[in-house]
Amino acid sequence: MDRHNESRPTAPRKATGAQKVMLPVFFGADRIWLIHAMPQKKSVTSITFINHILTPLLQSIRSSNPELKQFYVHSDNASSHNSHATTQFQEEYKIIRVAHPPYSPDLSPCDYFLFGYLKRILQGNTFKTVEDTVDAASKILYSIPKKCYIHVLRIGVLEHGT
């Protein structure tokens, strides 16, 4: 058998222009508070985390609840979530960070519920733009019944302590 004439297997490729989208999602027992597409090819530093995630989250929550003095946020142990700048911002605006066990990235309700659900529904779809991707994901997320969020948060507290 002549090895030079054999066709070599080819690896499947992503569609031209296929991009990953980082889509932070914050939800509570009664609604989604924030769905925000992060700028493409931007590292998540503490300043990016504050400007692109915490500030819009704060604005969303406070616009609906101006009397609210403080609220809780669960995030993993990424360095941008634990930095001095982030901690100062959270203290200044009365954002209380829920403790997350070290080396336990899958304990977040977004990880054990939300993103798996979203990926299953979106699997096999292709989108032309980041905006199309965000729109499709947002429609799915906003269609999840309120009782599911309540249930997931109860599971997180009872089973995972988050």
Side-chain angles (χ1 to χ4, degrees):
M1 182 189 273
D2 186 5
R3 295 180 135 217
H4 297 289
N5 291 333
E6 286 182 29
S7 63
R8 297 190 328 174
T10 58
R13 293 185 183 188
K14 288 185 178 181
T16 303
Q19 299 175 353
K20 285 192 173 190
V21 177
M22 184 182 293
L23 194 67
V25 177
F26 287 84
F27 66 93
D30 63 342
R31 73 182 81 181
I32 290 180
W33 288 105
L34 178 70
I35 300 173
H36 179 73
M38 291 296 291
Q40 294 290 303
K41 299 179 183 179
K42 184 142 181 101
S43 297
V44 182
T45 64
S46 58
I47 299 305
T48 305
F49 183 62
I50 291 167
N51 292 339
H52 290 275
I53 299 171
L54 288 180
T55 299
L57 175 63
L58 180 67
Q59 291 167 343
S60 175
I61 290 174
R62 295 268 163 88
S63 69
S64 295
N65 299 293
E67 73 288 346
L68 192 65
K69 302 287 185 236
Q70 65 185 20
F71 61 93
Y72 294 84
V73 170
H74 180 250
S75 54
D76 62 21
N77 292 316
S79 59
S80 59
H81 304 163
N82 290 322
S83 73
H84 182 69
T86 300
T87 303
Q88 280 186 309
F89 182 89
Q90 290 174 325
E91 287 174 3
E92 181 179 345
Y93 292 100
K94 309 290 189 252
I95 301 171
I96 300 167
R97 186 168 179 265
V98 176
H100 187 86
Y103 310 109
S104 303
D106 59 345
L107 289 184
S108 165
C110 285
D111 292 330
Y112 69 78
F113 161 67
L114 203 59
F115 295 139
Y117 177 79
L118 188 60
K119 285 178 183 180
R120 278 191 305 278
I121 293 175
L122 291 175
Q123 188 173 19
N125 291 300
T126 55
F127 303 96
K128 292 184 180 187
T129 66
V130 170
E131 292 78 17
D132 291 344
T133 306
V134 173
D135 288 345
S138 296
K139 285 178 188 171
I140 293 165
L141 294 170
Y142 283 119
S143 73
I144 296 172
K146 178 178 161 178
K147 66 182 179 181
C148 288
Y149 289 111
I150 293 169
H151 179 71
V152 165
L153 291 172
R154 281 190 184 136
I155 288 171
V157 170
L158 296 174
E159 293 182 15
H160 302 291
T162 58

